[in-house]
Every structure is written in structure tokens, then in C-alpha cells.
Amino acid sequence: MKIVKGQLVDIENQRIFPAEVHIENKKIVEIKESRHNEKQFLMPGFIDAHIHIESSMLVPSEFARVATIHGTVATVSDPHEIANVLGIDGVNFMIENGKKVPLKFHFGAPSCVPATTFETAGAVIDAEAIKELMQSPDIFYLAEMMNYPGVLYDDPEVLEKIKWAQHFKKPVDGHAPGLRGKEAAKYVKAGISTDHECFTYDEAKEKLELGMKVIIREGSAAKNFEALIDLLPENYQNMMFCSDDKHPDDLVLGHINQLCERAVAKGIDVFKVLKAACINPVKHYHLNVGLLKKGDAADFILVENLNNFKVLKTYIDGEIVAENGQSHIQSVDFKAPNNFNISEKSPEDFKLKATTDLVKVIEALDGELISNEIEAKAILENDSLSSNIAHDILKISVVNRYEDKAPSVAFIKNFGLKKGAIASSVGHDSHNIIVVGTSDKEICNAVNLIIKNKGGICAVNNENQKSLPLPVAGIISDKDAWETGKLYQEIDKMAKELGSTLKAPFMTLSFMALLVIPDLKLSDKGLFSGKKFEFVEVIND
């Protein structure tokens, strides 16, 4: 029998007392109030209530090695990214790889593969496949229903997917940025239980009043903590925390522990903060995670204090999996599945013929997934359009990575590059190659480097090239978090040296093909208006 002592944080009853936790056969067999001098705090572990593990560019087993250092014992994970590339095989890869380590991954069935019919993905998961997935004990919920127009307009396929989740008594996650009023009410009535996409206080408040659980998101790109955190004191029973998308260099620095530190620093009651961070996800998603009670799995953490939540030890099933910033979890071997089927491109492929220089432009917003539509002038030379570097109107292209097709080309503002190009095969949601550059030649060089690596991110400037290969489905590294994070930082630094002023240029780039988040985005099939939900012309004649 193991005995762990500390000041036990009883979140549900809002009290702290000196205690001994007795552990046997992975379970807590007894909790005793006792006198001792241990000052460290014993509390349930942190849970990320909505994360795409793939966005960390790590396989689940490597994600676990770093997340547990920060006190994370479980995740609610949507394998939507790899599913768009590899279908159900991708979902199964994530589940099986995650089972090889102690961290408790709880995967959902991706509801929108492909995310829309306006892009080319590598797979389709229809309602019949959702039925099959929902029967699995390894699937805990229907992952974010991004096709909210399908819900609002009673699309039979969308409603069938929701029906199967309800049939198997599993929650349905939402995704409806900016949805308000009668439309939001209909979305909730359809059975959608959460939303992590709220980006204003009023929107989140309205969705809470409609009965939704609101998940406060703070990731590497989308950051909604400041906008929503003031709702927590009055709504802590119905709120959670998540990362959604967290790049490896950010994950090395911290996870849900950081959000708790920030919330407590604002004067919010620590029990309310921890209810959102540790308890609510377990109850909402019926997770296989202990809550520091007799009979529970021995999943808990020891922290130095309840201000910065410095994690001293992380226990999962009674075993220490991380201690004082070091992981006890070993790397595991795996085969890297992929789906990358195209030949190299030429600069001519990125030419855009025109008779006018006036174009629709995607206005990227730093720290946001949403974008705006603006009008601006590109450079018109020899009947073709090129980047207007002086005014930061740069060419953007999306290249189909599943079959050889002509790239789509448009223009974007706020990437700020003065030279070179940056590219990535992490391009939500279908993970085609997405590139922004100052010339067709640099754009082509960047794309061909990604093709050569069969996936990755890169920055190029003439002969100077830096790349991070992502051989697992073209979106995930086969290295650990520290090596991946270091390479990512080097490429991020180069992108900024090329002129980008964005905080996370590659994270922002990865969302410029995400059609389900308005307004103007680019898929491999063309420029798309999220507000009109249709293709639009690049050139304004």
C-alpha cells in the first residue's frame, strides 16, 4: 500500500484539510484526515476539455510525456485532424498509441469529415461510420459539430450523426462561433451540449443561459480567456478550460495549470476555478478519471501552492508519471501512417491571370481564427497578379495534397513577410498544403519542400531553408516534444525574421483554410465566404 500525505483540496465541499491518501491496486482505498507537517496540496489532476492532440504536432504518447509534467491527467480529444487525412484508421491510430501510456485520453468520433464539401480531404466519415464508432468503448462523445448550418437547416446526414450519439447516450460537442438568438437556440435544442468557440462575453453568456456548457479556450492561436473569464464566478458549474490547439513549444511551457494560475490571480475563488479545470469535464463526458475520492482511480497531483499551481508530482492510477518537471513516461515505438500523393509544383502553377489589380483579400487577425474580407490592390504585371509587399498584400495558395490538381490562389493581409515564404501541411481541416509568400518562386520552393518531406512546416528565403518534417499523416512529428518544439521555434523565428509580425504565424496560417470559421478563407478549390457559405471570386472586376 502507498500512502501520500498533503493538504487535501476537497473541491466539491470547498474545504482544505491535512490528509493521508491510501492507494492499493490503482485505487484510493481510504482518505484519512490526519495531523502532519506536509505543506504541499493534494488535488485532482487537470483536464483539457477540448484538444486536438495533432495540433501539438505530437503523437498521443509523446503528448502525454510533456502534459503530465504540468499536472494534466486526462484529455477530451477530438481526432478530427488525422481523421480528415486517414479516416477511421487515423482515429484508431490515435486511440492505440494513446493506450501505450498512462495519461487518460478520451477520444471522440469526428463529426465533420470532411469538414465541408468545399474542400478536398483524404477521407469521409458518414453517419454509418459514426454509428460504428459510437459503439466502441474507446469513443466517449460526438466531437464538435462544426457544420452548424447543417443543424440549422435540418441536414439529414448531420441529424443522423447526432441521433447515433444520443442513442448510445454520449454527449455531442458544439462549434458555433458567433451563433446567437433563435439560431443558437435551435442548435442547442438539437442536442449540442458544449461550445468552445465563444469569443465574446455576451455570446458565451447567452449560450450558458440556453443550457450549454461553455469551454474557455486559450490555445496557441485562439485566445478567449480574457473575454470570457469574468463569467466563471457565476457560472463555474457549467464552464471548463481547454487548449483546442496547442503547439509543442507552448505545451512545453504549460497547459491547463497556466489558466488556473491566471484565473486565481484575477481574484476568482480557487474552488470555482478548480471545479472548471478538474471536475466538470469528468462529469460531463463521463471520463474514466478519479476525483480524489475513496474508491476512485488514484489520479491526482501534488502542487506547491494554490496560486501558481507548480506541479511537484502527477499520479495516474497510483503511479508517479511526472515529478519536478521530469516525465517518468518512456517513448514508445510506432509506425507512421500517411496519405501524401502529389508531385512537385512549378512557379507557373501559382500564377493568377487578371486584367485588374483590385482583389478580395483575407484579413488575418492575430490570435483569432476568424478573418475579415477586405478589398485591396495587388501588383499587376504582364496580365498576372503578384504580392504587393509594400502594402502587405501577399499571395496565399492552397495545394491539394491528395491528388495532382491546380493550386488555388488568393491574397492575404497581416502576415507581413518582406521576403521568402512560409508553408505548412497542417491546414485545418483537410490538411492540404497552405503557403504565404512574396513571390511565385518562393511559394513554389516552400511547397516543394513540404512535398519532399511528405508533410511538415517550413520557412524559405532563396537558398536558406528551415523545415520540421511531419511524417505522421503529414501533420504530426515522429520526435518528442522537446525536439519538435525546438525545431518549431527555429522555424517560427525565421518566419519573423522574414517580416511576420504575428505571434504564431504558423498557427494562424493553419486556420486560413478553415472554411467553417468566417469570414474569408481559402480551400484547395477556391476562395470561400464563411458568411455566404459559398465560393467567391478573388478578382474584383
Side-chain angles (χ1 to χ4, degrees), residues 504-539:
F506 285 99
M507 187 60 96
T508 301
L509 179 66
S510 72
F511 288 107
M512 292 303 103
L514 183 55
L515 309 186
V516 294
I517 293 188
D519 180 25
L520 204 58
K521 298 290 173 75
L522 184 67
S523 87
D524 66 294
K525 295 182 178 180
L527 192 62
F528 187 82
S529 167
K531 285 182 180 171
K532 297 176 183 173
F533 228 69
E534 63 185 31
F535 288 112
V536 294
E537 293 296 325
V538 176
I539 298 159

Side-chain angles (χ1 to χ4, degrees), residues 141-195:
Y141 66 108
L142 182 65
E144 54 181 314
M145 180 48 74
M146 295 184 291
N147 187 4
Y148 59 83
V151 176
L152 299 179
Y153 295 108
D154 300 316
D155 181 298
E157 178 77 5
V158 168
L159 298 183
E160 185 81 355
K161 289 176 180 180
I162 294 170
K163 185 193 87 175
W164 283 121
Q166 292 170 332
H167 175 80
F168 290 103
K169 296 182 169 54
K170 295 181 180 182
V172 181
D173 259 9
H175 165 119
L179 201 66
R180 306 284 299 271
K182 289 179 181 176
E183 290 184 330
K186 180 170 182 179
Y187 189 66
V188 175
K189 193 176 178 184
I192 315 290
S193 65
T194 68
D195 199 356

Side-chain angles (χ1 to χ4, degrees), residues 412 445 516:
I412 194 162
N445 286 344
V516 294

Side-chain angles (χ1 to χ4, degrees), residues 392-411:
D392 189 24
I393 306 299
L394 301 179
K395 193 172 275 188
I396 180 172
S397 177
V398 176
V399 180
N400 183 329
R401 60 114 121 182
Y402 303 104
E403 51 187 327
D404 275 315
K405 291 283 179 74
S408 64
V409 179
F411 289 88

